[in-house]
Amino acid sequence: MLKAKQISLSLSLFFSLGRTRGDSVTQMEGPVTLSEEAFLTINCTYTATGYPSLFWYVQYPGEGLQLLLKATKADDKGSNKGFEATYRKETTSFHLEKDSVQASDSAVYFCALSDTVTGTAGGAEHKL
């Protein structure tokens, strides 16, 4: 009998980018341990007065923060490396999902938002 590999995913609390006037994101607190090939959902909900841009960042062990996904309007769906997230205005959510996690997915994941003031969302990608 083969034993499934365990994957450790750490989740940040929350952070926001740009001038947010009380806007925020909240995600489930980690760490989370999953078996390889398990389905992953990391919940992220937001509070905003307007229509923020939403982001998922990842930080692999020994590496810097990297942009994983971005959505700039309602119903945008981002995907990268098998991860997906859909900007749901009606539920104020941007949940990160992956059908089958691998050991290489072990990392810290951050949900973030930026208001839509000109220049803020685009600059957020490059400042971190």
Side-chain angles (χ1 to χ4, degrees), residues 5 46 57 73-74 79 104 106:
K5 290 183 183 177
Y46 67 91
Y57 288 88
K73 61 184 179 186
S79 63
S104 60
S106 294

Side-chain angles (χ1 to χ4, degrees), residues 70-119:
K70 168 182 160 179
T72 57
K73 61 184 179 186
D75 298 321
D76 268 2
K77 185 175 195 173
S79 63
N80 186 15
K81 299 181 181 180
F83 290 94
E84 291 187 346
T86 303
Y87 186 153
R88 299 280 182 212
K89 185 179 183 310
E90 66 277 2
T91 58
T92 62
S93 64
F94 192 52
H95 304 321
L96 185 66
E97 298 179 337
K98 187 170 184 182
D99 288 336
S100 179
V101 293
Q102 304 300 315
S104 60
D105 295 322
S106 294
V108 179
Y109 293 84
F110 300 89
C111 184
L113 68 77
S114 176
D115 64 14
T116 53
V117 173
T118 304

Side-chain angles (χ1 to χ4, degrees), residues 6-122:
Q6 296 294 301
I7 299 165
S8 178
L9 302 168
S10 296
L11 312 171
S12 73
L13 292 172
F14 68 91
F15 71 98
S16 59
L17 304 168
R19 297 184 336 192
T20 59
R21 299 176 307 277
D23 297 352
S24 66
V25 293
T26 304
Q27 68 187 76
M28 59 195 283
E29 298 179 40
V32 172
T33 302
L34 300 170
S35 296
E36 197 161 39
E37 299 181 8
F39 182 82
L40 168 71
T41 299
I42 304 175
N43 294 326
C44 175
T45 57
Y46 67 91
T47 302
T49 55
Y51 298 95
S53 294
L54 298 169
F55 307 86
W56 274 103
Y57 288 88
V58 60
Q59 186 170 21
Y60 296 103
E63 296 184 22
L65 201 60
Q66 301 171 33
L67 178 65
L68 181 63
L69 299 173
K70 168 182 160 179
T72 57
K73 61 184 179 186
D75 298 321
D76 268 2
K77 185 175 195 173
S79 63
N80 186 15
K81 299 181 181 180
F83 290 94
E84 291 187 346
T86 303
Y87 186 153
R88 299 280 182 212
K89 185 179 183 310
E90 66 277 2
T91 58
T92 62
S93 64
F94 192 52
H95 304 321
L96 185 66
E97 298 179 337
K98 187 170 184 182
D99 288 336
S100 179
V101 293
Q102 304 300 315
S104 60
D105 295 322
S106 294
V108 179
Y109 293 84
F110 300 89
C111 184
L113 68 77
S114 176
D115 64 14
T116 53
V117 173
T118 304
T120 303

